[in-house]
Amino acid sequence: AQKITQTQPGMFVQEKEAVTLDCTYDTSDPSYGLFWYKQPSSGEMIFLIYQGSYDQQNATEGRYSLNFQKARKSANLVISASQLGDSAMYFCAMRNSGGSNYKLTFGKGTLLTVNP
Amino acid sequence: DAGVTQSPTHLIKTRGQQVTLRCSPISGHKSVSWYQQVLGQGPQFIFQYYEKEERGRGNFPDRFSARQFPNYSSELNVNALLLGDSALYLCASSLYVGQTFDGQFFGPGTRLTVL
């Protein structure tokens, strides 16, 4: 069974600084995808970034980058130059390529607060 | 283009009642998934439908059911509501299905409160 672990219930960062949100995963499937979503207080899940298990390079999308360490089964999200609007819940999620490929499995999330 | 839409936005029901939640996917997307998010937790998968067929079901009781219509919109039904069904119900649509990159795009959710 696949599992996502986010060990940081909450994180604080100063505006304009970088922050790393941790995510570790567990799966026996050699092919999988890792996702990060942002959920503001309004509730909508906003897709941020994707990393495939066979991708050679770490994914980047603007101020977001994914620090993918396959051997350690970690997929940490790095947000550079934090902005006040980055304050939200952040979820790490995974999809396998095997029999349960129809679903995303989510972690419990990390609440990020950006201070001015 | 419009994103995923869900209705209603908020809903208050009492125990034992039945509820129907609705979702319209992004135009061109044929797959719809439903997730339940209890306060303080990550979303939990309930159902996925593709081309009107159920492709997957999460660990939820038979009180939960869903269907997908020819226009790819979907309904989630929950019977005999319990207090524990209070949650944010999220609908996600995707273009592809069955691939590791199945970029699911979520709607704003329906917040259900069971009293």
Side-chain angles (χ1 to χ4, degrees), chain A residues 37 39 91 95 101-102 104, chain B residues 35 37 48 98-99 102 104:
Chain A
Y37 286 88
Q39 188 176 43
F91 290 94
R95 176 194 306 284
N101 61 10
Y102 43 79
L104 285 170
Chain B
Y35 291 81
Q37 187 179 18
Q48 185 185 62
Q99 301 183 31
D102 183 1
Q104 293 198 333

Side-chain angles (χ1 to χ4, degrees), chain B residues 55-70:
Chain B
R55 288 199 74 249
R57 182 185 182 118
N59 188 23
F60 280 82
D62 291 343
R63 299 185 295 108
F64 289 76
S65 63
R67 55 179 175 169
Q68 187 177 32
F69 298 99

